[in-house]
Amino acid sequence: MIEANPCFTHLAPGYLFPEIAKRRNAYAAAHPEAAVISLGIGNTTEPLPPHIAAGMKDYVSALETPAGYSGYGDDSAGELPLRKKIAAVWYNGAVQESEVFVSDGAKCDVGRLQQMFGASVHVAVQDPAYPVYVDGSVMVGAAGKSPADAHGYADITYMPCLPENNFFPVLDSVPANSLIYFCSPNNPTGACATRAELETLVNFARANGCIILYDAAYAAFIRDPKLPRSVFEIEGARRCALEVNSFSKPAGFTGVRLGWTVIPEELQFADGRPVAALWSRLTNTFFNGASNIAQAGGLAALDSEGLEEMRNLTGFYLENAALIASVLREEKFRAAGVEVFFTGNAPYVWVRFPGRKSWDVFDRILSDCQVVTTPGSGFGPSGESFVRFSAFGHRENVAEACRRLSSRLSL
Ligand code: PL4
């Protein structure tokens, strides 16, 4: 018989989000009368905006004609008009179209990037963090040579991001030549790095031979004009960072699937080879490009009408988040020591329940309120005692969840 890939040996059992779905379904099966509301997984709920949808409909109609039909793209990096438009509209010309690689989503690109960096790279992650950074690193053998315990994997550098350090990590413990995962606005904390903080990060990376894998999947939620939307707004970042981004949340493309990665031409490996060249080699081998229909949607999303639609859609979810944050700041929660962290620039509300275990709070909220959340400990050791509330939901469901939290949750 074939042995299992040894890299999977020490992988923590169960990916976080299916585990949450499993618990939700088990609860619903045991309580068929309960109307369970999900504020758990960050999954969009609102319909596609009309201008963006029309871009895809028109493209599909053209596909039915001999002149409008197209098959595989020439290059997995995506259609040139979309690459140009991302560079011009999203980055305001700060990156070149040749540096933009269109993809089927940020998560898929993170996985492929992990393949590219391989087993020998040292990994540093914000703690808490989107679980794909750690799980994917273990799968490619870059981490997880010993089992994880309550402190995480011994061969990963966890950079605690807590209210006590304003959710920006102390970088001193990060070894030279590390691959640093950094997500802003952050999932799960919602924290946004300031320009000064990103300068600190970039300067550290440059001085220590590190590469920053910057996940900007929630950048479209930033409303404070002083906060950077891209790491490439920071001087020197082109030499030490790459950035993944996504249409998933701002355009409602979680099912449509479209994202991109920017790899500046200055970014190099130790032997001087351009990272972009290896990335191109890897993606052309394993990836046949994003759906051409989704790319038509991406083009429409970057028209002025599409940009306005994305602003409205992200604004809708931000209003949901504000409702959730507001109810959790009520006196009964404050008196119980509950601390609410919501920046107004991210679709997540991060809440600390001092002295409690995240999964216990998850269970309590589910049983008292029939509301699903995400336990903070699922995002890393520093997430213990926190719970994440996702703002992705229909307004009536979010309002009902808020009523239940206010009237039924007993801590
Ligand atoms: C559940 C920081 C959500 N099944 O849609 P993509 O691939 O362009 O983006 C995924 C993604 C990338 N980067 C960050 C993210 O938070 C996400 C999506 N995260 C969440 O609830 O944390 C959805 C999770 C999905 C998954 O596993 O990604």
Side-chain angles (χ1 to χ4, degrees):
M1 300 233 329
I2 293 176
E3 297 284 345
N5 181 339
C7 295
F8 286 61
T9 309
H10 292 311
L11 199 56
Y15 180 56
L16 176 64
F17 297 108
E19 178 62 29
I20 290 167
K22 205 168 88 191
R23 291 198 186 206
R24 172 207 165 117
N25 294 342
Y27 182 85
H31 304 85
E33 74 297 345
V36 177
I37 297 174
S38 178
L39 302 181
I41 296 169
N43 196 3
T44 49
T45 54
E46 302 311 295
L48 290 177
H51 178 79
I52 297 174
M56 289 190 280
K57 284 185 204 162
D58 292 348
Y59 191 87
V60 171
S61 300
L63 283 176
E64 287 184 299
T65 67
Y69 179 76
S70 63
Y72 292 127
D74 289 340
D75 188 299
S76 68
E79 310 277 352
L80 197 55
L82 180 57
R83 300 174 76 189
K84 277 188 175 161
K85 209 161 178 180
I86 291 171
V89 176
W90 190 265
Y91 291 99
N92 218 1
V95 309
Q96 307 293 317
E97 70 235 28
S98 56
E99 298 171 325
V100 177
F101 298 84
V102 175
S103 75
D104 52 350
K107 169 165 151 169
C108 319
D109 267 355
V110 169
R112 287 185 282 261
L113 286 162
Q114 286 167 331
Q115 271 187 286
M116 181 179 73
F117 284 101
S120 56
V121 74
H122 180 81
V123 167
V125 291
Q126 284 164 299
D127 175 24
Y130 182 42
V132 173
Y133 310 150
V134 167
D135 286 5
S137 300
V138 174
M139 285 183 187
V140 297
K145 281 146 205 123
S146 56
D149 60 18
H151 307 290
Y153 290 97
D155 49 5
I156 288 182
T157 301
Y158 290 84
M159 306 181 292
C161 295
L162 291 159
E164 288 68 27
N165 59 8
N166 200 25
F167 299 104
F168 186 77
V170 176
L171 298 167
D172 299 351
S173 60
V174 177
N177 310 321
S178 293
L179 178 63
I180 303 175
Y181 288 85
F182 198 92
C183 177
S184 180
N186 187 266
N187 174 19
T189 67
C192 290
T194 63
R195 190 167 297 277
E197 287 169 342
L198 283 190
E199 281 166 3
T200 302
L201 178 67
V202 164
N203 291 340
F204 176 87
R206 288 202 62 192
N208 292 280
C210 300
I211 289 182
I212 302 163
L213 194 165
Y214 193 83
D215 188 338
Y218 299 99
F221 289 87
I222 293 177
R223 289 295 182 272
D224 180 344
K226 293 191 293 303
L227 294 170
R229 287 199 322 169
S230 164
V231 72
F232 299 119
E233 292 179 38
I234 308 302
E235 188 158 351
R238 291 180 59 85
R239 297 194 172 277
C240 65
L242 57 85
E243 178 167 305
V244 295
N245 209 321
S246 174
F247 286 96
S248 279
K249 307 293 157 66
F253 274 22
T254 43
V256 173
R257 309 302 305 148
L258 191 69
W260 71 87
T261 289
V262 171
I263 306 195
E265 57 188 32
E266 293 93 321
L267 192 66
Q268 292 180 347
F269 288 108
D271 64 3
R273 273 191 294 173
V275 174
L278 226 70
W279 179 241
S280 191
R281 181 73 178 83
L282 181 141
T283 48
N284 276 314
T285 303
F286 289 124
F287 178 51
N288 266 330
S291 147
N292 47 15
I293 302 167
Q295 293 190 65
L299 273 174
L302 295 170
D303 288 340
S304 56
E305 298 95 318
L307 290 169
E308 195 185 335
E309 288 177 342
M310 290 200 288
R311 191 166 172 89
N312 291 339
L313 197 51
T314 49
F316 172 84
Y317 292 124
L318 286 171
E319 284 169 13
N320 280 350
L323 291 174
I324 297 164
S326 163
V327 82
L328 292 164
R329 285 181 176 135
E330 284 177 357
E331 183 49 33
K332 80 162 185 174
F333 295 120
R334 204 197 314 268
V338 173
E339 296 167 78
V340 179
F341 302 94
F342 172 58
T343 66
N345 296 288
Y348 296 120
V349 181
W350 186 235
V351 186
R352 180 150 65 182
F353 296 82
R356 310 285 292 268
K357 294 272 185 205
S358 299
W359 277 110
D360 292 346
V361 179
F362 169 94
D363 286 336
R364 174 54 69 91
I365 296 173
L366 184 56
S367 61
D368 282 4
C369 309
Q370 293 75 53
V371 170
V372 178
T373 56
T374 304
S377 55
F379 296 99
S382 295
E384 188 58 279
S385 293
F386 289 83
V387 165
R388 187 193 77 173
F389 290 78
S390 157
F392 295 101
H394 298 310
R395 180 61 48 82
E396 63 273 22
N397 287 345
V398 171
E400 172 60 16
C402 289
R403 275 192 289 277
R404 293 182 194 173
L405 288 165
S406 178
S407 61
R408 296 190 204 162
L409 182 58
S410 69
L411 292 167

